[in-house]
Amino acid sequence: MKYSRLRLQSQIAWLLALMTPIISTSALAETANFGTLNLSPGFEAIQGKISGYTGGSYSLSAISNRDRDKKACIGFGDPNPDHILVLEKDFDNLKILVNSGGNDTTLVIKGPNDEIVRCGDDTGSSKDASVSDSQWKKGTYQVWVGVFEQGVKRNYTLTVQQ
C-alpha cells in the first residue's frame, strides 16, 4: 500500500508539472498590460477609451509580418498584449486610434482564434497609428501599441469608435 501511495503521488506531481505551462500560457493569453475593454454596439464614447504606455524590445512583426490587407505589421512593444478588446456582438465598422501626442506609434490587433490580424501605422498627417476596418466579429481581440525605437516609453490613449 505504501508503494501505491508513493507512486500515485509521483504521478500526480508529474501531471501537475506537465500542466503548469499550459495553464500559465492560457492565462497569459487573456491578460493585458493595461486592461480590457468590453464593448457592445451603441457603446458610449467614454467606454471606448483606455490608456497605457509603449515600451519593449519585442518585434511586433513576430506576431504577423502582414495583416489581412497585406499591410506590414511593424514596431516594438511588449510580448503581452497591451489591451484586450472584447466585442460582445459583431460590429459592421470600428476605428481604433492611438493618441500619443503625435509620436510615431504602430498598432497590431489579433482577432479571435488568431484568425484575423489588422495592423496600422500613420494616420493621415499624424504619426499616431490607427486601424479602420469593417466586419469585426464577436470575440476577444489582443491589441499591441508599438513604437519604432526599442524600449521607448510613450504615454498614449487608445480610442475605439463606431
Side-chain angles (χ1 to χ4, degrees), residues 9 38-39 64 67 118 120 145 158:
Q9 288 174 337
N38 293 288
L39 301 175
S64 179
D67 71 3
R118 294 170 167 100
V145 178
L158 184 80

Side-chain angles (χ1 to χ4, degrees), residues 37 39 43-45 47-50 85 87 94-97 158-162:
L37 292 172
L39 301 175
F43 66 88
E44 294 186 31
Q47 293 174 296
K49 289 188 183 234
I50 195 165
L85 173 62
L87 300 181
L94 283 178
K95 186 171 189 176
I96 300 175
L97 306 114
L158 184 80
T159 303
V160 181
Q161 299 175 341
Q162 297 182 72

Side-chain angles (χ1 to χ4, degrees), residues 8 11 13 16 20-21 46-47 56-57 63-65 74 85 94-96 104 108 127 129-131 133-134 151 159:
L8 181 61
Q11 288 174 341
L16 286 173
T20 299
I46 193 72
Q47 293 174 296
S57 57
I63 297 165
S64 179
N65 284 323
I74 52 179
L85 173 62
L94 283 178
K95 186 171 189 176
I96 300 175
D104 208 353
V108 176
K127 291 287 187 181
S130 69
V131 169
D133 204 0
S134 61
T159 303

